[in-house]
Amino acid sequence: MSHVVVDNPHGLDQQLAALDLNPDGQGGGTGRRYIPPHLRNKDAAKNDSPGWDGGRTNGFVNGFHDNRTNGGFGGRGPPRNDRGFGGYENKDGGWGGAPRDAAYNSFGGRNDRSKSAFFNDRGAGSRGRYERGGFGGGGNSRWVEDSRGEDDWSKPTAPNERLENELFSGSNTGINFEKYDDIPVEATGSNCPPHIESFHDVDMGEIIMGNITLTRYTRPTPVQKHAIPIIKIKRDLMACAQTGSGKTAAFLLPVLSQIYTEGPGDALQASKSSGQENGRYGRRKQYPISLVLAPTRELALQIYDEAKKFAYRSHVRPCVVYGGADIGQQIRDLERGCHLLVATPGRLVDMMERGKIGLDHCNYLVLDEADRMLDMGFEPQIRRIVEQDTMPPKGIRQTMMFSATFPKEIQILARDFLEDYIFLAVGRVGSTSENITQKVVWVEENDKRSFLLDLLNATGKDSLTLVFVETKKGADALEDFLYREGYACTSIHGDRSQRDREEALHQFRSGRCPILVATAVAARGLDISNVKHVINFDLPSDIEEYVHRIGRTGRVGNLGLATSFFNDKNSNITKDLLDILVEAKQEVPSWLESLAYEHQHKSTSRGRSKRFSGGFGARDYRQASGGSGGFNSNRSGRNAGGHGGSRGFGGGGFGGNFYNDGYGGNYNHSGSVDWWGN
Ligand code: ADP
Ligand code: MG
């Protein structure tokens, strides 16, 4: 292949010199260069911290520390009884006419009262049931069938200090959301409700509000602002928002809130009678009210951990089932009660076939990483679960899909599962998170290992580095190599036992092994704070995978770096990669541009069917061709669409200059505000 464009552009040394990683000065100047150790002169060698790290380690500055130190649960505040609020449109009161502060300030959300008032609203009598153990796992005590049914599910159950500490100790410390309104949002579909600006703008009930306070989420993220009211009014939703932008809570909060409001309904009765049929308490089939499906085991676990937080002090018992782990233990856990189930598809089908799970009363279905869940690998299982069993049909159940990428083909397929849905694109369509600095370096296969060592040495010890390879064998081999070179590293891939996988992730998260070598199994959804550098030792073959992989860094307002090793083997991703770099305003190596140019000319069909729509996101395919969307019509830019302060969606001019398939594209964003408004 001829890719030589400028003077020997592929020489490793030139590539290294072109890497803009190491600071000449600290901070964000453009003159920063990555100089690997063996090329450094004395002066450069003094600089031992990588430039991308300098001075921007942490966006978490505020938070609820004050409240958190006050652990007392006793205290003031009468029991609240303010339910019955009708909806999101009451932005001001938001709580059924109760004065705003009376309604929620006991959580410490807006003033400096402690959370204690919230926690004191149960009589002593209701506590007894929960005080003994039984809090393990689901965040709730044993599902006590005899009295639960009569309980008001909208009321918080008694607090448990130990559990509370366990659930919330690692929580966020908050994010600076200034200039927040600049995030473009596009919501298409009929009758989309207005978005919220604060968690208090919608009635999610006191349990959820209490738990939001405990997690120290001060404000909704952009996807939460929009998705929460849509879900609250029971609309189906396909939501596309950047990696690390808070999609998990965007579905967990409103779904759990609905369950608390509506109570167990028929699910409770069904489970009771199945228990009677089986003749023994505890052997009954479980009828979850909500099902969340995820593509990997570790992601399922992570969502489950989040669900436990928002189910704290509620009657809802979350459970998780996934492959590779002891099924007997999972069954025993299910039998203690399961109202919200997080699952990987294979294990769920197994549980259904064993008669442990019935989806007859599953009113809420969430597909996280939905484009992955509906691609060829998973689609048959998803159909088996959703269409070919007892789950209520679309239109009856509520279906929500979330991802950072939504190729058009997948959107079309997804129609089978959705009824009159709203499509939400939050963020700059056609862009990966701008929090992530993306580098592409030409590295021949034979040079990859030594270049990796250079990068690792430049990174420093304190930050976490995630190294992606294509194959399981490759992961083992690279882990061995790094280990022999003296690096504390571990690996995660499909040939490792589940126990080893979870252990590896744990070691990585905790920083004990700051280098994790991974296959695609770790590409999606994992939320690991402090991942500073994602290295594509082998680039993936499709661009969605690339977007998700690099999305393991630069999360929640933090900054990150992604370095990809590119060579002849990766020509299939050239064009999409170039598009992404351009969209995200990243530096584009000239050889990549030339390669892409060559490719385009070689390719006979100009408008090759572009599977990917550009960048992180997608447009609503329903709007892409003709129709009233007018996405292509307004090149003048974002402001015309009115995103931000007002509704920012609908047919009007969400412009930007989209690619010629009228589908992907960008917002032509000119501001310098990042995803989190920093
Ligand atoms: P995504 O699914 O969009 O990739 P996650 O749901 O994994 O993102 O969330 C990323 C991180 O952001 C998590 O650590 C989560 O706790 C945190 N987070 C979510 N919502 C908020 C919020 N409103 N304020 C602060 N942090 C948040
Ligand atoms: Mg996610």
Side-chain angles (χ1 to χ4, degrees):
M1 172 185 304
S2 89
H3 42 250
V4 178
V5 186
V6 292
D7 298 342
N8 184 23
H10 303 152
L12 187 56
D13 291 354
Q14 261 106 337
Q15 299 287 350
L16 294 173
L19 252 188
D20 187 16
L21 302 181
N22 212 36
D24 294 326
Q26 308 298 320
T30 50
R32 290 173 299 135
R33 302 228 137 183
Y34 170 71
I35 302 168
H38 70 279
L39 296 181
R40 285 180 202 167
N41 60 28
K42 265 192 194 157
D43 286 337
K46 282 186 214 146
N47 258 330
D48 58 6
S49 88
W52 46 267
D53 198 21
R56 18 144 134 153
T57 47
N58 192 344
F60 302 134
V61 285
N62 47 23
F64 286 85
H65 296 98
D66 305 349
N67 295 336
R68 301 269 315 156
T69 54
N70 178 357
F73 296 128
R76 324 162 278 218
R80 280 186 38 209
N81 187 8
D82 55 26
R83 303 216 57 78
F85 168 66
Y88 54 83
E89 62 274 359
N90 183 1
K91 280 205 166 190
D92 216 40
W95 286 82
R100 189 177 251 234
D101 42 348
Y104 62 73
N105 64 11
S106 58
F107 290 100
R110 285 285 178 92
N111 58 31
D112 59 2
R113 288 204 206 173
S114 82
K115 62 197 175 185
S116 56
F118 167 71
F119 284 148
N120 193 36
D121 66 352
R122 284 182 75 88
S126 60
R127 248 173 214 235
R129 272 193 304 149
Y130 300 93
E131 266 174 356
R132 266 167 205 241
F135 272 91
N140 291 299
S141 70
R142 249 183 114 82
W143 190 33
V144 183
E145 63 182 321
D146 49 8
S147 56
R148 270 299 157 81
E150 284 92 60
D151 278 353
D152 179 353
W153 278 38
S154 67
K155 291 286 156 211
T157 59
N160 175 314
E161 192 170 1
R162 186 187 59 74
L163 178 65
E164 189 177 311
N165 289 336
E166 195 180 298
L167 291 175
F168 297 102
S169 57
S171 287
N172 276 314
T173 48
I175 289 163
N176 185 5
F177 289 105
E178 275 163 34
K179 301 184 203 150
Y180 195 14
D181 291 340
D182 208 34
I183 304 290
V185 178
E186 180 178 289
T188 43
S190 59
N191 301 320
C192 185
H195 69 268
I196 56 171
E197 285 296 333
S198 145
F199 287 122
H200 303 291
D201 288 345
V202 63
D203 178 17
M204 289 197 279
E206 54 187 317
I207 300 174
I208 289 288
M209 296 313 283
N211 292 332
I212 286 175
T213 301
L214 289 171
T215 54
R216 287 174 280 171
Y217 290 178
T218 50
R219 304 181 62 180
T221 68
V223 67
Q224 291 162 5
K225 282 179 170 186
H226 289 263
I228 288 173
I230 293 171
I231 296 173
K232 284 289 285 181
I233 61 160
K234 296 182 179 296
R235 292 293 299 276
D236 282 5
L237 173 66
M238 184 184 284
C240 190
Q242 283 169 334
T243 50
S245 64
K247 293 186 286 293
T248 318
F251 59 79
L252 284 178
L253 293 173
V255 165
L256 284 169
S257 144
Q258 291 298 103
I259 297 177
Y260 302 156
T261 307
E262 286 165 12
D266 298 340
L268 180 71
Q269 198 46 48
S271 182
K272 270 187 185 174
S273 36
S274 119
Q276 278 154 17
E277 278 161 30
N278 287 333
R280 284 169 62 187
Y281 167 74
R283 283 298 154 96
R284 59 198 167 185
K285 188 170 180 174
Q286 292 300 320
Y287 293 89
I289 303 164
S290 172
L291 173 66
V292 181
L293 289 170
T296 67
R297 301 161 181 180
E298 291 76 16
L299 179 56
L301 254 175
Q302 182 181 295
I303 297 168
Y304 167 66
D305 285 338
E306 286 296 292
K308 282 194 290 187
K309 292 182 192 169
F310 298 116
Y312 175 57
R313 300 199 54 191
S314 78
H315 289 89
V316 165
R317 189 166 193 281
C319 289
V320 63
V321 299
Y322 56 89
D326 179 10
I327 196 166
Q329 206 175 325
Q330 289 178 358
I331 290 172
R332 284 191 294 281
D333 189 53
L334 286 175
E335 285 172 347
R336 296 173 63 196
C338 171
H339 310 108
L340 180 141
L341 180 63
V342 186
T344 53
R347 180 56 60 95
L348 175 60
V349 170
D350 196 351
M351 290 291 189
M352 288 159 66
E353 287 171 356
R354 288 168 187 243
K356 297 298 172 193
I357 291 287
L359 296 174
D360 314 45
H361 303 287
C362 180
N363 294 329
Y364 305 93
L365 170 66
V366 179
L367 303 187
D368 195 20
E369 305 295 343
D371 57 328
R372 175 82 182 92
M373 302 307 289
L374 295 174
D375 77 12
M376 285 185 314
F378 279 117
E379 187 199 342
Q381 279 172 319
I382 300 298
R383 290 199 186 276
R384 160 81 183 80
I385 292 164
V386 178
E387 294 180 331
Q388 295 155 21
D389 217 275
T390 52
M391 186 183 286
K394 67 176 182 179
I396 304 291
R397 67 162 193 269
Q398 192 180 354
T399 309
M400 291 141 276
M401 302 190 179
F402 284 80
S403 183
T405 51
F406 262 114
K408 182 175 173 183
E409 287 71 12
I410 301 283
Q411 289 188 42
I412 292 170
L413 187 92
R415 283 182 311 187
D416 291 355
F417 305 96
L418 294 161
E419 180 85 4
D420 187 25
Y421 63 95
I422 291 172
F423 183 93
L424 185 63
V426 188
R428 277 153 224 137
V429 172
S431 160
T432 48
S433 166
E434 288 179 16
N435 294 332
I436 306 168
T437 302
Q438 300 174 56
K439 301 286 175 191
V440 182
V441 192
W442 187 280
V443 189
E444 299 292 353
E445 284 304 307
N446 288 339
D447 294 330
K448 278 183 171 179
R449 285 185 173 186
S450 84
F451 187 47
L452 176 64
L453 294 184
D454 291 340
L455 282 179
L456 292 176
N457 294 340
T459 301
K461 295 238 179 297
D462 294 338
S463 51
L464 304 186
T465 302
L466 185 51
V467 185
F468 281 105
V469 295
E470 263 311 85
T471 65
K472 302 173 222 174
K473 270 197 177 146
D476 278 339
L478 192 60
E479 184 196 357
D480 280 352
F481 168 73
L482 289 173
Y483 184 77
R484 277 186 273 114
E485 291 289 325
Y487 292 86
C489 66
T490 181
S491 71
I492 184 166
H493 60 73
D495 276 352
R496 299 201 72 184
S497 71
Q498 189 52 30
R499 182 189 284 247
D500 286 350
R501 281 167 59 160
E502 283 171 35
E503 178 60 19
L505 205 53
H506 179 68
Q507 300 245 337
F508 183 57
R509 270 187 210 276
S510 67
R512 250 177 291 147
C513 286
I515 302 167
L516 179 67
V517 181
T519 58
V521 76
R524 284 194 181 244
L526 297 183
D527 183 53
I528 302 162
S529 55
N530 245 342
V531 176
K532 290 282 167 56
H533 199 172
V534 170
I535 298 174
N536 282 310
F537 187 87
D538 302 318
L539 268 163
S541 53
D542 74 77
I543 197 75
E544 287 91 353
E545 168 84 13
Y546 173 85
V547 170
H548 289 280
R549 282 184 183 184
I550 70 167
R552 296 317 100 212
T553 185
R555 298 177 73 74
V556 219
N558 287 310
L559 298 174
L561 173 68
T563 306
S564 301
F565 298 0
F566 191 106
N567 61 35
D568 284 335
K569 285 187 170 175
N570 308 113
S571 53
N572 58 338
I573 204 177
T574 312
K575 175 70 172 68
D576 288 334
L577 188 58
L578 177 73
D579 288 348
I580 286 233
L581 295 177
V582 171
E583 302 292 350
K585 297 184 203 64
Q586 301 294 307
E587 200 179 294
V588 179
S590 53
W591 54 261
L592 187 71
E593 243 165 337
S594 314
L595 262 184
Y597 184 78
E598 259 172 46
H599 271 263
Q600 207 166 18
H601 281 259
K602 265 193 228 150
S603 137
T604 43
S605 56
R606 251 287 280 115
R608 73 197 164 96
S609 106
K610 208 162 171 265
R611 209 167 59 75
F612 182 63
S613 57
F616 87 87
R619 314 207 76 78
D620 186 349
Y621 89 94
R622 297 173 299 187
Q623 308 281 318
S625 52
S628 59
F631 293 134
N632 289 320
S633 63
N634 184 352
R635 296 182 65 89
S636 66
R638 304 149 37 240
N639 294 334
H643 56 267
S646 65
R647 292 173 49 147
F649 49 77
F654 236 88
N657 53 54
F658 304 118
Y659 281 149
N660 43 20
D661 60 359
Y663 190 63
N666 71 33
Y667 277 99
N668 205 13
H669 179 67
S670 56
S672 57
V673 181
D674 71 18
W675 173 256
W676 298 93
N678 294 315

